Amino acid sequence: MLDLQLLRQDLDAVVRGLGNRGLSFDRDTFERLEQSRKRVIQEAETLKAERNKVSEEVGRLKREKQDAEHLILQQREVGEKLKALEHAEKEAETAFRDFLALVPNLPHESVPVGKDEHANTEIKRWGTLPTLDKPLDHTELGTRLGILDFDRAAKLSGARFSVLKGLGAKLERSLATFMLDRQIAAGYTEVIPPYLVNAESLYGTGQLPKFEQDLFKMPHGESSLYLIPTAEVPVTNLYRDEVLSADQLPLRHCALTPCFRSEAGSYGKDTKGLVRQHQFHKVELVSFCAPEEAEAELERLTGHAEAILEALELPYRKVLLCTGDMGFSSQKTYDLEVWLPSQNTYREISSCSWFGDFQARRANLKYKPADPKAKAAFLHTLNGSGLAVGRTWLAVLENYQQPDGSVRIPAALQPYMGCAEIR
RNA sequence: GGUGGGAUGGCCGAGCGGUUUAAGGCACCGGUCUUGAAAACCGACGACGGGAAACCGUCCGCGAGUUCGAAUCUCGCUCCCACCGCCA
């Protein structure tokens, strides 16, 4: 949610910022909704103030054993009018909120303006690309090694699911544990959150109301629960409707969870292999901090994701997303892209974002600044993958493949795997 | 699934139809006193919305209802606690 004050005071800046995302902000609708909301609020409040006064008068008369019948009759009419007005007030309030709920965050000033991923800025490249004559893709490598099975997964669930077996399963588990251990050592407190969340949680981080079609929704009693698309949702919402004290900040959490995405609208994209699945594991980093620390925190958090790739000696590049390529809630995002020999290109393996107070407004996440005279204020939220486990799995297979079809295990991972290769 | 108890400001806790503009306490803040601090005393002290301001409105878990008037009465729901049943 954008700051209402900003919308009122500098609508031009909002229109400009959203324009940089390639969106046109409907100024007329906003102004119409804002004004009708204000009008009906003022009307209702005037009437309520009047009602309260007369009711007080009735109370006084009754106490003094005087007749108040004429006032009570008069009040009945006011009550009727008020009921209608309160209804209109609620409607206007809802229309206004619904409109704002669909408006994405404004890009930070340091974000390059552009329409799609071609305008992203490469920040750095790390690592040496493997020299392979004829690199196989991970699907072929994994299937040949007997550690990856898409056919049987299709039998169980359909397309975009996978079965990992033997050392393939162990590799997934080793990677996840390795990442968690590293991030815990870097200062993140591990949490294991629910994998099913309510609609309020998804609203808080910005997946709802706009992106319901991307989620798996489960009927539950009268309402529904959703499978989490990322641990960002439950972990960011941990402190929803709370006021944290300044000395708790920055508050850093990591979580290993499965992630579920319906991938609606991505038909034909990455249909083969593990790149785009309905279910995958991810270690997520989430940080809550004071606004003045947030920009540096994004660099720090991204660094913690990079450290995993470097520890695993996987070549990657770091990209600053342009305005047109950023997610709904983000104001600045770095993507980390790992080298995939079979595709002869870099593919996203982590996305690290700074949301400003956008999610904090939606989730009512506040902190009490150190200055005892200061009022509670919205804090800043950040998160990033550290890393997507499934994509790391396939990156290891492809980058560490040997001419004979076996796969070496990165040195840092060998203690977890208990072996040096898969063959 | 069943029965009973509960949900009030940052925290504890009173209130059970109209002086509640939510008592009282704790914490925090300002002041007096003090070399400084503590103690004591005095004062201030919630969130959200409307308004240039004065001020007004809303908020006692959530939603409906009764009433001139609801923290207080009625109904529905959610969550927490205890016990029973079932269960990994």
Side-chain angles (χ1 to χ4, degrees):
Chain A
M1 189 80 72
L2 294 180
D3 182 6
L4 242 188
Q5 293 310 316
L6 180 68
L7 281 158
R8 286 182 186 140
Q9 284 161 15
D10 198 355
L11 193 53
D12 288 338
V14 174
V15 171
R16 211 179 317 122
L18 294 170
N20 287 340
R21 272 183 179 266
L23 298 169
S24 62
F25 180 80
D26 189 347
R27 246 186 138 113
D28 293 343
T29 301
F30 170 74
E31 274 165 356
R32 183 170 53 74
L33 289 171
E34 150 86 337
Q35 272 159 26
S36 67
R37 167 177 173 272
K38 204 177 282 189
R39 200 186 53 238
V40 72
I41 285 176
Q42 285 170 356
E43 218 174 308
E45 287 193 352
T46 310
L47 203 57
K48 279 182 204 168
E50 189 193 322
R51 179 202 58 188
N52 292 347
K53 268 206 191 95
V54 178
S55 285
E56 216 170 291
E57 180 66 8
V58 171
R60 192 182 62 78
L61 289 174
K62 290 222 166 177
R63 259 197 314 281
E64 295 170 2
K65 306 267 191 244
Q66 293 187 43
D67 180 48
E69 207 43 44
H70 60 293
L71 285 180
I72 289 175
L73 282 173
Q74 174 198 330
Q75 280 290 78
R76 266 195 200 131
E77 281 177 47
V78 174
E80 291 303 311
K81 238 198 263 178
L82 203 51
K83 208 167 275 181
L85 260 175
E86 274 179 339
H87 185 71
E89 188 181 352
K90 204 164 277 182
E91 265 188 358
E93 212 53 91
T94 304
F96 185 66
R97 266 168 204 290
D98 287 353
F99 175 84
L100 282 184
L102 294 169
V103 178
N105 202 356
L106 298 177
H108 189 255
E109 57 189 13
S110 60
V111 171
V113 176
K115 116 173 167 316
D116 55 29
E117 69 268 20
H118 300 294
N120 295 345
T121 309
E122 184 176 302
I123 305 288
K124 81 168 187 189
R125 283 184 192 221
W126 185 93
T128 333
L129 303 188
T131 49
L132 299 160
D133 277 349
K134 277 192 191 148
L136 299 177
D137 70 30
H138 67 278
T139 305
E140 193 155 357
L141 284 163
T143 307
R144 283 193 194 175
L145 289 167
I147 60 174
L148 179 61
D149 189 341
F150 285 112
D151 295 338
R152 293 198 175 94
K155 178 168 68 184
L156 299 175
S157 309
R160 295 203 192 283
F161 287 94
S162 61
V163 171
L164 301 181
K165 251 191 332 192
L167 287 179
K170 191 163 190 184
L171 178 58
E172 176 86 4
R173 191 158 48 82
S174 299
L175 282 169
T177 311
F178 168 73
M179 290 177 195
L180 271 180
D181 287 350
R182 289 287 176 130
Q183 303 304 3
I184 291 164
Y188 294 82
T189 303
E190 184 182 3
V191 294
I192 300 183
Y195 304 152
L196 286 163
V197 293
N198 56 30
E200 290 74 48
S201 300
L202 288 150
Y203 177 85
T205 32
Q207 281 81 9
L208 286 182
K210 201 170 180 186
F211 305 100
E212 177 154 30
Q213 74 282 356
D214 295 337
L215 302 165
F216 285 103
K217 187 176 183 178
M218 329 277 294
H220 179 251
E222 299 294 294
S223 71
S224 298
L225 291 171
Y226 298 81
L227 283 165
I228 57 170
T230 159
E232 162 191 359
V233 178
V235 178
T236 305
N237 278 281
L238 274 178
Y239 306 105
R240 189 170 78 218
D241 295 322
E242 292 187 33
V243 180
L244 304 176
S245 66
D247 55 24
Q248 288 178 272
L249 305 179
L251 185 54
R252 301 181 176 123
H253 284 302
C254 61
L256 164 68
T257 69
C259 304
F260 302 92
R261 299 185 182 178
S262 83
E263 297 296 345
S266 63
Y267 307 108
K269 248 193 218 168
D270 302 308
T271 50
K272 203 182 158 201
L274 286 171
V275 173
R276 194 174 300 274
Q277 297 269 291
H278 285 313
Q279 175 193 321
F280 59 95
H281 289 114
K282 181 156 58 72
V283 170
E284 186 74 2
L285 308 174
V286 178
S287 177
F288 304 84
C289 68
E292 59 273 16
E293 299 166 348
E295 192 160 13
E297 183 73 358
L298 176 65
E299 303 300 323
R300 202 175 297 129
L301 185 146
T302 308
H304 292 140
E306 289 177 59
I308 301 294
L309 286 162
E310 292 177 18
L312 294 172
E313 297 176 80
L314 290 168
Y316 72 94
R317 64 175 196 147
K318 178 178 175 184
V319 170
L320 175 58
L321 297 194
C322 75
T323 51
D325 203 24
M326 281 196 309
F328 179 82
S329 301
S330 179
Q331 65 175 30
K332 182 174 186 176
T333 297
Y334 290 113
D335 270 9
L336 302 181
E337 301 179 338
V338 71
W339 177 253
L340 291 189
S342 72
Q343 299 187 10
N344 200 40
T345 187
Y346 291 93
R347 292 298 305 261
E348 177 186 341
I349 196 166
S350 173
S351 194
C352 302
S353 298
W354 170 25
F355 303 95
D357 60 13
F358 187 84
Q359 291 182 329
R361 280 176 199 289
R362 295 174 81 101
N364 191 27
L365 280 164
K366 293 187 168 176
Y367 79 109
K368 185 84 175 61
D371 178 359
K373 273 170 259 172
K375 287 174 53 170
F378 292 114
L379 45 72
H380 280 202
T381 58
L382 305 99
N383 69 54
S385 352
L387 309 160
V389 180
R391 287 191 179 177
T392 310
W393 192 99
L394 74 91
V396 167
L397 249 72
E398 295 202 1
N399 283 283
Y400 280 85
Q401 64 180 290
Q402 303 301 306
D404 65 357
S406 67
V407 172
R408 282 199 304 119
I409 300 298
L413 209 57
Q414 287 179 14
Y416 291 84
M417 282 295 284
C419 62
E421 58 172 15
I422 302 175
R423 65 164 57 246

